[in-house]
Amino acid sequence: MKYSVDLMVKSSDAWIAAVKNDFDSFLQDHADCERKASAMAMSFVAKYPDRNEIIPELIETAIEELEHFQQVFDIMKSRGVSLAKEMTKDLYIQKLMALSHGGTPETRFRDRLLLASIIECRGCERFKLVSENLEDEELSKFYKVLWTSEAKHGNIFVKMALNYFEETSVYNRLDELIEKEAEVLNSLEIRSALH
């Protein structure tokens, strides 16, 4: 059984160039994304409290994402960068989550898990790019540790879906959503942000 997600398109050179040109803005957005990721994991617990098989991993993921937020916040403090005054809407996330609307409560649950997996895998791919392209050795090392952690998160959401849905349903829908993610990514303006 395969838990990993193979994204259809790679992030562009223009994206990593934008990040390098305005790394402080990237850090602010990254901090916001870690807070949102922690909240997203806990929202699954709140919305699906009867799904006992996945709750321990969701709690662990929420804690880990919050720890990542703390680590990014510490880096920001050391660079004199404050948190963004308000969390802006993430068009990438909005467009992806719109794909889970409609259908039955069960198919929405499946789609939300699979979208969480894709989002984590995109974060992993982008953190890896950041780690490989930063000249600051300490930051590069931090992002290397981070992308390995995010890779694990991407896999666990597929594994969670397989607790409740048959393999064919999970992988067929995952393929569809990966295609849609590529379209969403290519439709967005390039900026110094995780998405």
Side-chain angles (χ1 to χ4, degrees):
M1 216 173 288
K2 183 183 172 203
Y3 298 140
S4 60
V5 172
D6 298 318
L7 297 171
M8 191 168 272
V9 296
K10 293 180 178 178
S11 294
S12 66
D13 291 341
W15 176 79
I16 192 64
V19 169
K20 287 172 71 177
N21 286 336
D22 187 4
F23 197 70
D24 288 351
S25 290
F26 176 75
L27 283 171
Q28 287 178 316
D29 182 72
H30 179 188
D32 286 348
C33 287
E34 296 294 358
R35 286 191 281 177
K36 290 173 188 173
S38 181
M40 183 265 307
M42 288 310 295
S43 79
F44 275 113
V45 176
K47 194 160 176 65
Y48 306 104
D50 57 331
R51 307 286 186 162
N52 292 321
E53 301 82 2
I54 64 173
I55 287 176
E57 280 184 305
L58 288 167
I59 293 168
E60 188 181 315
T61 300
I63 292 168
E64 208 169 301
E65 299 286 18
L66 204 51
E67 286 169 351
H68 293 168
F69 167 66
Q70 183 176 22
Q71 292 165 348
V72 177
F73 180 67
D74 290 343
I75 290 169
M76 291 170 70
K77 272 198 320 188
S78 73
R79 295 169 63 95
V81 178
S82 60
L83 290 170
K85 284 191 169 51
E86 58 183 71
M87 283 198 268
T88 56
K89 289 184 179 174
D90 189 326
L91 279 179
Y92 171 82
I93 301 292
Q94 280 186 321
K95 287 183 175 194
L96 286 182
M97 293 318 288
L99 300 172
S100 70
H101 299 162
T104 66
E106 281 300 289
T107 58
R108 283 196 298 275
F109 174 55
R110 180 201 61 200
D111 286 1
R112 284 189 70 206
L113 287 170
L114 297 179
L115 288 167
S117 184
I118 292 167
I119 291 163
E120 291 288 339
C121 288
R122 178 59 68 191
C124 169
E125 183 246 8
R126 288 193 157 182
F127 290 146
K128 186 173 191 285
L129 269 177
V130 170
S131 78
E132 293 169 346
N133 284 277
L134 289 181
E135 288 164 21
D136 183 308
E137 216 171 286
E138 202 174 309
L139 279 175
S140 177
K141 194 174 174 181
F142 169 70
Y143 277 98
K144 184 175 184 179
V145 170
L146 203 59
W147 77 254
T148 54
S149 172
E150 296 296 333
K152 179 185 81 174
H153 291 171
N155 297 342
I156 65 167
F157 286 105
V158 173
K159 194 172 105 187
M160 287 178 193
L162 289 165
N163 276 301
Y164 304 105
F165 304 97
E166 63 173 35
E167 227 177 295
T168 310
S169 159
V170 168
Y171 291 117
N172 286 347
R173 184 58 174 156
L174 188 58
D175 287 343
E176 290 171 11
L177 292 173
I178 288 168
E179 272 187 49
K180 296 287 185 191
E181 190 269 351
E183 291 171 17
V184 167
L185 193 74
N186 288 331
S187 74
L188 296 174
E189 176 192 348
I190 290 171
R191 60 195 187 100
S192 184
L194 188 55
H195 306 123

